[in-house]
Tab-separated table of all heavy atoms in Angstrom:
chain	number	residue	atom	x	y	z
A	407	ILE	N	279.367	124.019	209.539
A	407	ILE	CA	280.676	123.701	210.091
A	407	ILE	C	280.738	124.323	211.478
A	407	ILE	O	281.097	125.504	211.647
A	407	ILE	CB	281.799	124.249	209.208
A	407	ILE	CG1	281.540	123.850	207.740
A	407	ILE	CG2	283.148	123.739	209.658
A	407	ILE	CD1	281.431	122.352	207.513
A	408	PHE	N	280.354	123.572	212.477
A	408	PHE	CA	280.017	124.098	213.778
A	408	PHE	C	281.104	125.002	214.368
A	408	PHE	O	280.863	126.124	214.834
A	408	PHE	CB	279.746	122.963	214.768
A	408	PHE	CG	278.676	122.041	214.311
A	408	PHE	CD1	278.902	120.669	214.328
A	408	PHE	CD2	277.491	122.509	213.847
A	408	PHE	CE1	277.928	119.813	213.906
A	408	PHE	CE2	276.504	121.666	213.401
A	408	PHE	CZ	276.724	120.293	213.443
A	409	MET	N	282.308	124.489	214.414
A	409	MET	CA	283.363	125.213	215.141
A	409	MET	C	284.160	126.172	214.304
A	409	MET	O	284.959	126.922	214.806
A	409	MET	CB	284.349	124.178	215.795
A	409	MET	CG	283.664	123.271	216.769
A	409	MET	SD	282.834	124.189	218.053
A	409	MET	CE	281.983	122.862	218.935
A	410	SER	N	283.911	126.160	212.991
A	410	SER	CA	284.664	127.084	212.133
A	410	SER	C	283.731	127.915	211.246
A	410	SER	O	284.108	128.303	210.182
A	410	SER	CB	285.607	126.278	211.243
A	410	SER	OG	284.901	125.384	210.454
A	411	ALA	N	282.504	128.128	211.769
A	411	ALA	CA	281.571	128.919	210.968
A	411	ALA	C	282.027	130.352	210.806
A	411	ALA	O	282.637	130.912	211.727
A	411	ALA	CB	280.198	128.893	211.638
A	412	TYR	N	281.739	130.881	209.670
A	412	TYR	CA	282.132	132.273	209.391
A	412	TYR	C	283.572	132.582	209.699
A	412	TYR	O	283.872	133.411	210.551
A	412	TYR	CB	281.198	133.265	210.148
A	412	TYR	CG	279.818	133.349	209.555
A	412	TYR	CD1	278.758	132.648	210.065
A	412	TYR	CD2	279.610	134.202	208.457
A	412	TYR	CE1	277.498	132.748	209.483
A	412	TYR	CE2	278.376	134.327	207.908
A	412	TYR	CZ	277.311	133.571	208.428
A	412	TYR	OH	276.068	133.705	207.870
A	413	PRO	N	284.522	131.881	209.123
A	413	PRO	CA	285.928	132.156	209.444
A	413	PRO	C	286.297	133.571	208.969
A	413	PRO	O	286.039	133.949	207.835
A	413	PRO	CB	286.692	131.106	208.626
A	413	PRO	CG	285.758	130.724	207.526
A	413	PRO	CD	284.368	130.867	208.082
A	414	PHE	N	286.884	134.366	209.851
A	414	PHE	CA	287.286	135.706	209.556
A	414	PHE	C	288.820	135.729	209.375
A	414	PHE	O	289.564	135.288	210.268
A	414	PHE	CB	286.905	136.667	210.660
A	414	PHE	CG	285.464	137.115	210.561
A	414	PHE	CD1	284.430	136.286	211.016
A	414	PHE	CD2	285.125	138.355	210.055
A	414	PHE	CE1	283.101	136.696	210.931
A	414	PHE	CE2	283.828	138.757	209.973
A	414	PHE	CZ	282.772	137.957	210.407
A	415	ASP	N	289.237	136.252	208.274
A	415	ASP	CA	290.681	136.403	208.021
A	415	ASP	C	291.024	137.859	208.273
A	415	ASP	O	290.906	138.712	207.403
A	415	ASP	CB	291.005	136.000	206.589
A	415	ASP	CG	292.509	136.023	206.315
A	415	ASP	OD1	293.263	136.099	207.297
A	415	ASP	OD2	292.898	136.007	205.137
A	416	ILE	N	291.463	138.157	209.497
A	416	ILE	CA	291.705	139.560	209.908
A	416	ILE	C	293.184	139.763	210.075
A	416	ILE	O	293.878	139.004	210.768
A	416	ILE	CB	290.985	139.861	211.225
A	416	ILE	CG1	289.472	139.646	211.036
A	416	ILE	CG2	291.265	141.280	211.704
A	416	ILE	CD1	288.685	139.783	212.321
A	417	ASP	N	293.693	140.821	209.469
A	417	ASP	CA	295.090	141.188	209.642
A	417	ASP	C	295.153	142.117	210.861
A	417	ASP	O	294.995	143.330	210.775
A	417	ASP	CB	295.592	141.925	208.397
A	417	ASP	CG	297.086	142.273	208.493
A	417	ASP	OD1	297.687	142.018	209.567
A	417	ASP	OD2	297.599	142.844	207.516
A	418	TRP	N	295.370	141.488	212.039
A	418	TRP	CA	295.350	142.242	213.284
A	418	TRP	C	296.472	143.290	213.359
A	418	TRP	O	296.318	144.331	214.003
A	418	TRP	CB	295.448	141.304	214.476
A	418	TRP	CG	294.276	140.376	214.604
A	418	TRP	CD1	294.214	139.059	214.310
A	418	TRP	CD2	292.961	140.732	215.037
A	418	TRP	NE1	292.955	138.546	214.533
A	418	TRP	CE2	292.144	139.562	214.990
A	418	TRP	CE3	292.379	141.964	215.431
A	418	TRP	CZ2	290.798	139.566	215.344
A	418	TRP	CZ3	291.021	141.927	215.797
A	418	TRP	CH2	290.268	140.780	215.761
A	419	ASN	N	297.573	143.041	212.676
A	419	ASN	CA	298.654	144.014	212.651
A	419	ASN	C	298.237	145.301	211.923
A	419	ASN	O	298.749	146.380	212.187
A	419	ASN	CB	299.897	143.440	212.002
A	419	ASN	CG	300.556	142.392	212.863
A	419	ASN	OD1	300.841	142.639	214.034
A	419	ASN	ND2	300.784	141.206	212.304
A	420	ALA	N	297.309	145.155	210.980
A	420	ALA	CA	296.794	146.317	210.272
A	420	ALA	C	295.695	147.025	211.065
A	420	ALA	O	295.452	148.214	210.898
A	420	ALA	CB	296.287	145.922	208.895
A	421	VAL	N	295.051	146.258	211.965
A	421	VAL	CA	293.970	146.817	212.764
A	421	VAL	C	294.462	147.594	213.948
A	421	VAL	O	294.022	148.718	214.237
A	421	VAL	CB	293.018	145.679	213.215
A	421	VAL	CG1	292.000	146.200	214.230
A	421	VAL	CG2	292.340	145.048	212.016
A	422	TYR	N	295.450	147.005	214.683
A	422	TYR	CA	295.990	147.628	215.902
A	422	TYR	C	297.486	147.859	215.754
A	422	TYR	O	298.195	147.078	215.111
A	422	TYR	CB	295.727	146.756	217.099
A	422	TYR	CG	294.283	146.483	217.397
A	422	TYR	CD1	293.767	145.169	217.293
A	422	TYR	CD2	293.421	147.490	217.761
A	422	TYR	CE1	292.447	144.919	217.557
A	422	TYR	CE2	292.075	147.250	218.030
A	422	TYR	CZ	291.589	145.940	217.920
A	422	TYR	OH	290.274	145.703	218.168
A	423	VAL	N	297.974	148.881	216.377
A	423	VAL	CA	299.421	149.160	216.382
A	423	VAL	C	300.141	148.046	217.120
A	423	VAL	O	301.187	147.575	216.696
A	423	VAL	CB	299.701	150.514	217.075
A	423	VAL	CG1	301.212	150.734	217.235
A	423	VAL	CG2	299.089	151.663	216.287
A	424	ASP	N	299.540	147.575	218.235
A	424	ASP	CA	300.123	146.487	219.009
A	424	ASP	C	299.048	145.451	219.338
A	424	ASP	O	298.316	145.594	220.304
A	424	ASP	CB	300.745	147.023	220.309
A	424	ASP	CG	301.387	145.920	221.125
A	424	ASP	OD1	301.434	144.777	220.659
A	424	ASP	OD2	301.848	146.243	222.249
A	425	PRO	N	298.914	144.410	218.510
A	425	PRO	CA	297.865	143.411	218.718
A	425	PRO	C	298.134	142.432	219.839
A	425	PRO	O	297.375	141.481	220.035
A	425	PRO	CB	297.788	142.691	217.369
A	425	PRO	CG	299.158	142.841	216.793
A	425	PRO	CD	299.664	144.154	217.270
A	426	SER	N	299.232	142.653	220.569
A	426	SER	CA	299.521	141.785	221.726
A	426	SER	C	298.874	142.318	223.010
A	426	SER	O	298.884	141.626	224.016
A	426	SER	CB	301.043	141.637	221.905
A	426	SER	OG	301.612	142.883	222.313
A	427	LYS	N	298.340	143.512	222.933
A	427	LYS	CA	297.712	144.080	224.132
A	427	LYS	C	296.446	143.314	224.517
A	427	LYS	O	295.791	142.701	223.654
A	427	LYS	CB	297.357	145.549	223.905
A	427	LYS	CG	298.524	146.504	223.808
A	427	LYS	CD	298.045	147.908	223.569
A	427	LYS	CE	299.201	148.914	223.477
A	427	LYS	NZ	298.736	150.285	223.216
Side-chain angles (χ1 to χ4, degrees):
I407 312 302
F408 304 132
M409 298 304 174
S410 60
Y412 285 98
F414 279 79
D415 185 14
I416 300 173
D417 184 357
W418 294 106
N419 289 307
V421 171
Y422 300 115
V423 174
D424 181 4
S426 66
K427 290 180 180 180

